[in-house]
Structures are given as C-alpha cells and as structure tokens.
Amino acid sequence: MRQLKLSKAFTLIESGPVVLVTTHDEKNNIMTISWTMVLDFTPVFAITTGEWNHSFSALRKNRECVIAIPTVDMLDQVVGIGTCSGVDTDKFTKFKLTPVQGKFVKAPLIKECLANIECKVIDIVRKHNIVVLNAVAAYVDLARKEKRTVHAVGDGTFIVDGRKMDRSKMMASKLPDGL
Amino acid sequence: MRQLKLSKAFTLIESGPVVLVTTHDEKNNIMTISWTMVLDFTPVFAITTGEWNHSFSALRKNRECVIAIPTVDMLDQVVGIGTCSGVDTDKFTKFKLTPVQGKFVKAPLIKECLANIECKVIDIVRKHNIVVLNAVAAYVDLARKEKRTVHAVGDGTFIVDGRKMDRSKMMASKLPDGL
C-alpha cells in the first residue's frame, strides 16, 4: 500500500462508500459502517456509532481506529462483518482478512482493502452518537484491479460504483488546493 | 410526487448521493451538499455547513430546509448551483428549477428532483459545523425514469450509480422494521 497525501484522504470518504472500521483493545475488531461524513478537508471525518456496536467501547477507550475502504468483490465479507459481533467472533479470522500494523495507531489496517486511513478520535458528541475523527495517515493499494466501492441503501441493497463523470474544470474555483 | 413513508426516508441519504438543500428566508435559495450522514432511522440527518454557505444564515434563522435528491441528468445544474452564490443569484431561475410548496416548511421542494425531504433543524453543533435535521415528510417521483444518483468524490469527479446488489436476506436481522 502506498502512502496517500493527507490532503486527498477526504476523497476516499466523500462519495459515501460503506467502510470497515477497525479497533484494537487487547484484540482486533472490525465493524461495518455506512453512516459517515466528511467534516473538513484537513481531513476530519464523522461516523455515527454508539453502545450498540461492540467496537464503540474500544473507540472510546483508546481513541483511535482505522477506516478501511472495501470494494465490491468484498461485499459478502462487508455484510458478514456487519451482521456478527466482536463479542464472540474474531472477524479477521472468520472473514480471512489480514491485519497490517499502521504507523500511528494500534488499530490494524486491512491488507485486502483498497485504502486505509489511520484516525485519532478527537471528539465524541454523545447527544447525537457522532464520533469525530482526525485522519493522521492514509494509504491506497494502487496495484489493486477492482476499485469500485459499494454504497449501502439501508434496505439490504447496495449500489456499486458506475461510471465517473468529470466536472473538475467547472468546479475549479471550489476545489481545495493540493488535489 | 408521492409521499414516502418516513421510516424509509433514510434510504434516500444513506448511499451518499450529492443533494440539494433549499431554504427560504424572504427568498428561496439552494445549495449543493455532499457532506451528509444519517444519524438515526427515525429519520435524523446531519449535514456539514457553516458561515461559508449563504444558505447557513437562513438555516440558522428559520430552522428548516428541504433536502432534494437530484439524479445524473441534473449533474450540470448540481455543479452550477454549488459554484455560484445566493447572494447575487436566484438559483431556481438560473437553473430552471421549479419550487413546490411543502406541507411543514417554507423551504421549497424541487419538482425536478427524484425525491424531496422536508426537514426541521433540531440542533447545530457549532464546534464541528454540523447541522442536525429531523425529517418530517418525504416524497418520491415514481414516474421519473432516471433514478441514478451521483456521488461526489471531492476532486471534481462524480460517480454515477451502477448496478444494485441485493443482500437483504443476509442482513435480515439488522434491518429496521417497516422497510
């Protein structure tokens, strides 16, 4: 995996892909999250989570995680991870995923994913179950052939990335520097 | 436009489409937003916005808006709306869009969009520029042929919805009632 400029990391999240969020608290765990949002280009992200996710206690205690971006070929693993619990399941083993040590956090990167973002928790807005994350490093697997992410509709169906349309000239005045 | 059950409204947002947010404060305005997140099935949504958007003052003052969901055939309007300001532009006129009166808020629905959600502002988390919205009514245009939404990558490119994959059986235990 090649390091990605931090100023580009928000582009991994903005389009709204389903993501995997890893934590480490004695053992590794993974949760599937589709409720995510960019808060700032710097980059700062928000995810919605709370007590109902086993990972939340690790997130709150150690204040760090990795956001991993899976692709369409991993959909059954993504759904599987989202429908069992770290309480009684070692999800890396069950779903044949490989944890990779990051540089800044103990939560593991996922080798099989298209991209990984190491994040520190900078705030938890308890009233709305919002966890605010500051990304500290990002990586992409440029050798990976499958790059299409998936978007959860919420009713059990998922939309796969289709074609890309370029409006960067039209948007030039609004794009942040360094992209 | 046909009324959509409120319990299904989160499915309009969860996949991460670019949305148009309308406000009304003496006059109608529209902004393009891709930083959105579902906070609850009830449904409650979050959007990231602040002083840098002209619409923010109307949002803060009148505490209501409409989230409209455009489709791929409207991409140039969506980008155009995002690259000019309501300070000096009547965006409904400029982009040939039709405002339609909603039931609960003064902000207009957009007739040309696939779906519209009337929302009340229930909180503004100033520290993170998060506006928390409670949806009070939702509508979809079932007669519309083009249903593909677009997802902003953030670098000036947009991903169009591709094919849909169904994992609703696998996810049955996790889906909310009433879907």
Side-chain angles (χ1 to χ4, degrees), chain A residues 47-109:
Chain A
I47 63 175
T48 303
T49 184
E51 310 286 357
W52 63 87
N53 276 321
H54 180 60
S55 300
F56 182 67
S57 62
L59 208 51
R60 190 176 43 189
K61 181 177 164 193
N62 298 325
R63 300 186 78 80
E64 52 183 41
C65 66
V66 166
I67 298 176
I69 316 287
T71 47
V72 60
D73 50 316
M74 297 174 70
L75 181 58
D76 288 331
Q77 289 161 296
V78 168
V79 174
I81 288 164
T83 49
C84 66
S85 171
V87 172
D88 53 15
T89 311
D90 176 337
K91 300 196 194 182
F92 275 92
T93 304
K94 180 168 181 179
F95 297 102
K96 298 186 172 59
L97 296 171
T98 315
V100 176
Q101 184 58 56
K103 288 183 187 168
F104 300 102
V105 303
K106 281 185 182 158
L109 316 181

Side-chain angles (χ1 to χ4, degrees), chain A residues 14 34-35 76 123 128 167, chain B residues 14 35 76 123 128 167:
Chain A
E14 176 157 328
S34 59
W35 294 1
D76 288 331
D123 198 9
H128 300 296
R167 293 294 183 277
Chain B
E14 176 157 330
W35 295 0
D76 288 331
D123 198 11
H128 300 296
R167 292 294 182 277

Side-chain angles (χ1 to χ4, degrees), chain A residues 94-165:
Chain A
K94 180 168 181 179
F95 297 102
K96 298 186 172 59
L97 296 171
T98 315
V100 176
Q101 184 58 56
K103 288 183 187 168
F104 300 102
V105 303
K106 281 185 182 158
L109 316 181
I110 301 175
K111 188 184 173 191
E112 288 76 11
C113 282
L114 172 65
N116 283 272
I117 310 169
E118 294 187 56
C119 297
K120 299 275 188 183
V121 174
I122 54 172
D123 198 9
I124 298 179
V125 185
R126 293 304 293 261
K127 188 177 171 189
H128 300 296
N129 299 305
I130 296 171
V131 177
V132 180
L133 303 170
N134 186 38
V136 291
Y139 313 87
V140 279
D141 183 354
L142 294 174
R144 213 170 185 296
K145 281 186 184 168
E146 181 60 80
K147 292 192 168 66
R148 292 174 301 163
T149 65
V150 285
H151 305 261
V153 175
D155 61 356
T157 65
F158 294 83
I159 298 164
V160 184
D161 283 352
R163 71 190 180 103
K164 224 173 195 185
M165 294 174 77

Side-chain angles (χ1 to χ4, degrees), chain B residues 29-97:
Chain B
N29 196 13
I30 323 175
M31 63 178 164
T32 299
I33 291 274
S34 59
W35 295 0
T36 69
M37 176 166 74
V38 179
L39 287 178
D40 199 345
F41 297 109
T42 47
V44 181
F45 306 127
I47 64 175
T48 304
T49 185
E51 309 287 358
W52 63 88
N53 277 321
H54 180 60
S55 301
F56 183 68
S57 62
L59 208 50
R60 191 175 41 189
K61 181 177 164 195
N62 297 325
R63 300 186 78 81
E64 51 183 41
C65 65
V66 166
I67 299 177
I69 315 286
T71 47
V72 60
D73 50 315
M74 297 173 69
L75 181 57
D76 288 331
Q77 290 161 295
V78 168
V79 174
I81 288 164
T83 49
C84 69
S85 172
V87 172
D88 53 15
T89 311
D90 176 337
K91 300 195 194 183
F92 275 92
T93 303
K94 179 167 181 179
F95 297 102
K96 299 185 171 58
L97 295 171

Side-chain angles (χ1 to χ4, degrees), chain B residues 56 103 132:
Chain B
F56 183 68
K103 288 183 188 168
V132 181

Side-chain angles (χ1 to χ4, degrees), chain B residues 16-32:
Chain B
V18 176
V19 302
L20 299 173
V21 176
T22 77
T23 49
H24 179 88
D25 186 30
E26 291 176 27
K27 53 188 186 175
N28 292 332
N29 196 13
I30 323 175
M31 63 178 164
T32 299

